[in-house]
Amino acid sequence: MSIPRAYSVKAYAATSAKSPLAATTIGRREPTERDVKIDILYCGVCHSDLHFARNEWGFTQYPAVPGHEIVGRVTAIGSGVKKFKVGDLVGVGCLVDSCGTCPDCRAGLEQFCPEMVMTYGSADKHLGGGTLGGYAQGIVVTEEFVLRIPANLNAAAAAPLLCAGITTYSPLRHWKVGPGQKVGIVGLGGLGHMGLKFAHAFGAHVVLFTTSPGKAADAKRLGADEVVVSKDAAQMAAQAGSFDFILNTVAAAIDLNVYINLLKHDGNLVQVGAPSEPFAVAGFPLIMRRRSFSGSLIGGLPETQEMLDFCGAHAITSDVEMIRMDQINEAYERMLKSDVKYRFVIDMASLK
Ligand code: NAP
Ligand code: ZN
């Protein structure tokens, strides 16, 4: 086997579940025939990055470099690349490869491919070890997993679309959320604020459930028609049995039964928040109204491009707070306190 050629980039990595992220140097492969070499400009900070860096899902290999909301500039392409040229503004989300031949890949649902390669935390077929994410100066990705960023969007504010955007767009589209429906979004963080924007853009009546009463005015500005403080039992009781669809974005194992009771008959509670702890779901509230409890994982490559193009057409981006790379540990602590408005984005120029 030939040894792949590699070059070095600066990055930020965790070396154990308990250690803060710190500066390091990592290897990236030199572009092969179908590869796109990207100079990373911005990377969004997803709560999944924190789950992964701290090994909350139990599969983290160290060193761990998180980051899967990547926007950057193409600096080189392999000889066989057709979709991109040097200078293009591009994005990379949660996936960097898949088998390309299974039924899911053929259907454009690469997120369900048994051999899908995540941007961080999967086996790296090229260099060995684990794949390393976007908290870095650069990345090399096969062209099928590189996305076009619409020219009218602010590049930094577009970065969170690559995960928070597609993770909320995909279930709202799959379950055909639209006019005449009452839709709940649980949690106003990175995913939740994109959920509000999309559900509003799709024409639904949108209700935000939050534990933070101070976020109510922002929620209305972001697309909510109503705001319910989920800790207030009377406000929750007033919503009983009235929802067609509820999307739960919370990163902790909250009581789902209270939300299932807010669904109409045939209503659906969709889980996208990914705490490691299991949920206790009572059977009777599902049975008695033919309600569903479902899950959803990011979205495939065609749908991610569709989402980006929809955002371009409707001027939708994320509301971001820019940080330097060396502020990442502080950003994680603020994320744990639900103190994010509404997505941190790292300015990668701060890593130079
Ligand atoms: P985030 O920015 O930290 O937002 C989560 C929000 O949930 C918080 O802002 C807070 O909103 C609410 N919240 C937090 N703790 C809570 C608690 N104990 N009880 C009730 N509400 C609480 O996180 P994110 O980046 O949006 O990610 C959310 C989750 O989605 C994470 O678990 C992440 O791993 C997962 N995720 C899943 C996918 C997928 O494909 N399924 C993709 C990306 C991320 P309020 O202040 O409004 O209550
Ligand atoms: Zn994410």
Side-chain angles (χ1 to χ4, degrees), residues 95 102-112 299-304:
L95 301 174
C102 72
D104 289 321
C105 285
R106 288 206 303 271
L109 297 169
E110 296 86 354
Q111 75 272 35
F112 304 135
L301 270 293
E303 192 176 42
T304 306

Side-chain angles (χ1 to χ4, degrees), residues 45-49 68-69 94 120 162-164 167 191 298 343:
V45 179
C46 180
H47 206 112
S48 300
D49 298 354
H68 57 204
E69 294 183 337
C94 302
Y120 57 79
L162 278 307
C163 176
T167 300
L191 268 56
I298 47 172
R343 194 59 137 186

